[in-house]
Amino acid sequence: MSDGPRIVVAGAGAVGCFVGGLLAGAGHAVTLLARPRIQAEIRTHGLTLTDFGGMARYLSADDLSLAGDETCLRDADIVLVTVKSRDTEDMARLIARHSASGVQVVSLQNGMGNRAALARHLPQHDLRAGLVPFNVVAMGQGCYHRASSGDLVIEAGPADLAARLSLPELRVEERANITALQWGKFLMNLNNALNALSGLPLQAQLQDRAWRRLMADQWAEALAVLRADKVRPVLTSPIPARLVPTLLRLPTPIFTRVAAAMLQIDPQARTSMAQDLAARRPTEIDALQGEVQRRARALGRATPVTDMVLRVMGWAELAGEGLPHLPVAALRAEMAAGQDRQEG
């Protein structure tokens, strides 16, 4: 039995099962607090973890601790929060109710409001923001596939938490400028919606210049809003955030050479929002494009690209028909129509 920290993955979906599974496979005491569907899959098939670089790990159901009851939080030394942004407040209340003060809580979530939501309920906990740069795809039957590269980054704190969590297959680093890095990841995640609307694998989308131009327009629009609101995003890569639209607009042969690292992803990888839309689950669009729109309106700025993406994603969710496979031209036409309606 492990004499290390007891870790609870709170809301174990794709990212939570992948991260928690690797930690459990390395000998950590890990409990996956998961929905009944995910528990049933793992109890039936075990947990298989793979990645685009050829890694493969298998854990049987007996190698894991699965829970559907939040009372498992009572024994936690570290809580890794991996729920969707819309569920953060509820999870924060459960952690506050069941865990001891001083427990280390790490948010491994998309969006920018999760740390603040957790902090409102967990003033006595060692709370860390974090970011997950890689994409994890739920393949079914207890299999989770990491489809892109990158290391976990967490907020620096008084204890070397990164060293306690790092593995050869899952490197973790602590950074003092975590908020700036989170905003950089936020900008990257704005493509989640475009990828879902396209229906394309990420690699195919990135190799299509028309899609990259729309991505560039969305990025430039959001970056302008953030800067007007005194936010300065920083990327984990050496590329300055302001140069990303220029990079995306390059001709494809040049882009593929200059941005080779961006294309180091599984050919079939799609964003988490594409996976949610395909499965008819609610998406995190409000925590991404919704955040840009709210800040823009407070500043009196127009955001035609963001507004269009929110509208079309809303229609796609309401239709409940999975990925819409829309062409770029259709989105450009809706953006122009939206502007005409506003002016009229």
Side-chain angles (χ1 to χ4, degrees):
M1 187 168 180
S2 171
D3 57 1
R6 293 164 296 185
I7 302 169
V8 173
V9 180
V15 167
C17 284
F18 188 86
V19 171
L22 284 178
L23 289 167
H28 287 283
V30 177
T31 297
L32 302 180
L33 176 56
R35 296 184 186 278
R37 174 183 61 80
I38 291 175
Q39 291 183 62
E41 271 195 21
I42 295 174
R43 287 198 170 99
T44 302
H45 302 286
L47 185 62
T48 301
L49 309 173
T50 60
D51 77 4
F52 73 106
M55 183 204 75
R57 300 285 184 274
Y58 175 77
L59 290 85
S60 71
D62 294 336
D63 297 326
L64 296 160
S65 176
L66 299 169
D69 185 343
E70 62 271 12
T71 56
C72 67
L73 292 161
R74 293 172 183 168
D75 298 322
D77 300 306
I78 300 171
V79 179
L80 305 180
V81 181
T82 58
V83 294
K84 298 291 189 183
S85 295
R86 62 182 174 273
D87 297 322
T88 302
E89 290 275 359
D90 289 341
M91 183 55 71
R93 293 187 187 97
L94 294 176
I95 296 169
R97 186 180 308 150
H98 295 289
S99 68
S101 62
V103 165
Q104 294 173 311
V105 178
V106 184
S107 167
L108 298 178
Q109 302 167 271
N110 287 332
M112 294 304 301
N114 295 301
R115 192 194 190 287
L118 291 166
R120 285 194 288 272
H121 300 276
L122 304 172
Q124 304 302 318
H125 289 64
D126 178 5
L127 178 60
R128 314 288 185 92
L131 63 90
V132 181
F134 50 78
N135 172 272
V136 179
V137 181
M139 307 294 288
Q141 298 187 337
C143 179
Y144 296 89
H145 179 74
R146 178 170 54 190
S148 57
S149 61
D151 299 332
L152 291 179
V153 182
I154 63 174
E155 184 177 356
D160 193 356
L161 182 56
R164 301 174 81 186
L165 297 175
S166 279
L167 307 171
E169 306 90 350
L170 187 74
R171 292 190 295 274
V172 184
E173 62 173 309
E174 293 191 12
R175 297 279 288 270
N177 63 336
I178 189 70
T179 302
L181 291 168
Q182 281 186 299
W183 279 115
K185 178 70 188 314
F186 175 90
L187 287 171
M188 298 289 290
N189 282 339
L190 291 178
N191 185 51
N192 288 5
L194 294 182
N195 180 250
L197 294 173
S198 77
L200 297 169
L202 267 169
Q203 194 175 90
Q205 184 197 12
L206 285 168
Q207 290 174 336
D208 185 320
R209 194 180 186 192
W211 276 109
R212 291 201 312 278
R213 283 174 166 164
L214 186 56
M215 292 165 60
D217 292 347
Q218 177 177 241
W219 182 291
E221 179 179 277
L223 183 58
V225 170
L226 295 182
R227 287 186 163 176
D229 211 14
K230 305 299 189 290
V231 174
R232 296 292 182 268
V234 174
L235 303 182
T236 53
S237 70
I239 303 170
R242 62 183 172 79
L243 294 183
V244 170
T246 300
L247 178 65
L248 290 169
R249 292 179 179 124
L250 290 172
T252 298
I254 300 174
F255 173 79
T256 54
R257 290 198 299 272
V258 174
M262 291 179 69
L263 297 170
Q264 289 182 0
I265 51 180
D266 190 289
Q268 296 306 310
R270 288 175 168 83
T271 64
S272 57
M273 197 174 293
Q275 296 171 54
D276 286 339
L277 194 60
R280 283 72 169 173
R281 295 189 295 259
T283 73
E284 289 190 292
I285 189 75
D286 184 64
L288 295 168
Q289 275 79 1
E291 178 73 16
V292 175
Q293 187 185 72
R294 286 187 291 273
R295 285 174 178 262
R297 287 180 174 173
L299 293 164
R301 298 180 69 100
T303 51
V305 184
T306 300
D307 297 348
M308 175 274 292
V309 175
L310 280 163
R311 284 196 304 275
V312 180
M313 276 297 298
W315 298 336
E317 285 194 50
L318 188 62
E321 295 179 355
L323 300 179
H325 297 275
L326 296 172
V328 174
L331 299 183
R332 293 281 189 192
E334 171 53 31
M335 184 166 62
Q339 291 177 288
D340 288 344
R341 288 193 294 268
Q342 282 190 338
E343 292 170 3

